[in-house]
Amino acid sequence: MSHIPPLDPIVAARKGFREVQETVRRFWSDVTVGSHSDGGWAVLLDGRTPKTPAKAPLVLPTEAAARLVADEWAAQGEIVEPSTMPATRLASTAIDRIGQAREAVADEIAAYAGSDVVCYLAEHPTPLVERQTREWGPWRDWAAREMGVILTPVSGIVHQPQSPEAVARVKAHALSLDDFRLTGLATAVPLFGSAVLALAVEQGALEGGVAFGLSRIDEQFQEEQWGVDAEAAERTEARRAEAELLQRWFEALG
């Protein structure tokens, strides 16, 4: 029962984890969830709990989160497609890896607050600057008001250090989360290039798809001017789907 999709390859490589890639055929019929003897909610394949890559039982803190993962197993065809199981990968990462690297993960999250995409406004053209100001300003205000994270916007691409207090607040919040929410936040921050947008999704103040759109205002502006090819559009939609899944992940965790 260890045939679980591998961890995210980027995360796995960063943490020194290696896993043999193999084709796995569906070996179960019924997928349910049930309370676990050690607490939490287990995914059950024909009544048995699958294992993570590190051989831990696939147990999540809430029934809703377990069902989110279970739905991915239920949706598999004859051949297991790991790329269609992002919640399973989040869960296995939280169980196997995050607890061993919480400080380092929180540092990485906080570093994004020091160079957050919503703080770097273009110098020109004016329509882009106006759009960035209109769309990003309210979320910088939200971060200051709700999280105590006060960030200073700048024009241009030259790095502007943010206050150590703001960065420290982001790190402290990250460390206050359990391993499952921390895994989601650590995934959302690089996806958006923004601690502010990721925090807003984690806190339930912003929808994942909307946050993704806000994170790529520059790209959208260029696409409006020059168009977009099919391959780039496909990549964008895959990333948008990941953002929407992260919203569901946080909601399921409660």
Side-chain angles (χ1 to χ4, degrees):
M1 294 292 289
S2 61
H3 293 305
I4 195 169
L7 303 179
D8 180 272
I10 297 175
V11 174
R14 186 180 302 152
K15 304 305 178 188
F17 183 83
R18 299 174 64 115
E19 174 146 358
V20 176
Q21 300 289 326
E22 60 178 319
T23 297
V24 178
R25 292 185 176 276
R26 180 167 179 150
F27 54 89
W28 65 90
S29 298
D30 188 44
V31 183
T32 58
V33 302
S35 58
H36 193 263
S37 58
D38 294 332
W41 291 81
V43 175
L44 301 172
L45 308 182
D46 295 336
R48 300 173 63 193
T49 305
K51 304 288 188 183
T52 68
K55 310 304 181 185
L58 187 57
V59 178
L60 292 96
T62 69
E63 182 179 4
R67 291 194 181 281
L68 186 64
V69 174
D71 286 346
E72 294 182 342
W73 291 83
Q76 296 304 300
E78 181 181 352
I79 302 298
V80 178
E81 297 288 349
S83 64
T84 66
M85 305 178 79
T88 301
R89 294 198 305 274
L90 285 169
S92 59
T93 299
I95 293 166
D96 288 349
R97 314 308 297 173
I98 292 296
Q100 305 170 27
R102 288 179 59 84
E103 190 80 17
V105 171
D107 281 334
E108 290 185 16
I109 291 169
Y112 274 87
S115 57
D116 202 292
V117 70
V118 302
C119 292
Y120 286 85
L121 281 67
E123 295 178 293
H124 58 79
T126 300
L128 174 58
V129 177
E130 291 175 344
R131 186 182 303 183
Q132 291 171 330
T133 300
R134 181 177 64 252
E135 301 291 341
W136 288 345
W139 293 104
R140 290 195 306 272
D141 294 342
W142 173 87
R145 181 179 65 253
E146 300 295 334
M147 308 295 294
V149 177
I150 301 173
L151 300 177
T152 303
V154 297
S155 295
I157 61 174
V158 177
H159 177 65
Q160 169 68 48
Q162 299 292 344
S163 73
E165 291 79 12
V167 175
R169 282 184 179 273
V170 173
K171 179 178 179 180
H173 176 77
L175 289 173
S176 75
L177 303 176
D178 65 33
D179 290 348
F180 291 86
R181 292 190 79 87
L182 181 57
T183 298
L185 186 61
T187 305
V189 167
L191 177 63
F192 301 142
S194 169
V196 168
L197 297 178
L199 286 168
V201 175
E202 185 262 322
Q203 289 287 292
L206 183 61
E207 294 180 355
V210 175
F212 178 69
L214 289 169
S215 75
R216 59 186 307 275
I217 285 177
D218 293 19
E219 295 174 60
Q220 290 175 333
F221 185 82
Q222 293 301 320
E223 290 169 358
E224 290 165 7
Q225 308 306 307
W226 308 106
V228 59
D229 62 47
E231 186 175 341
E234 185 176 350
R235 288 195 302 268
T236 296
E237 287 311 303
R239 293 167 61 209
R240 188 185 308 279
E242 183 178 2
E244 292 169 349
L245 180 279
L246 285 166
Q247 176 190 338
R248 296 195 299 275
W249 174 255
F250 291 127
E251 290 172 347
L253 291 172

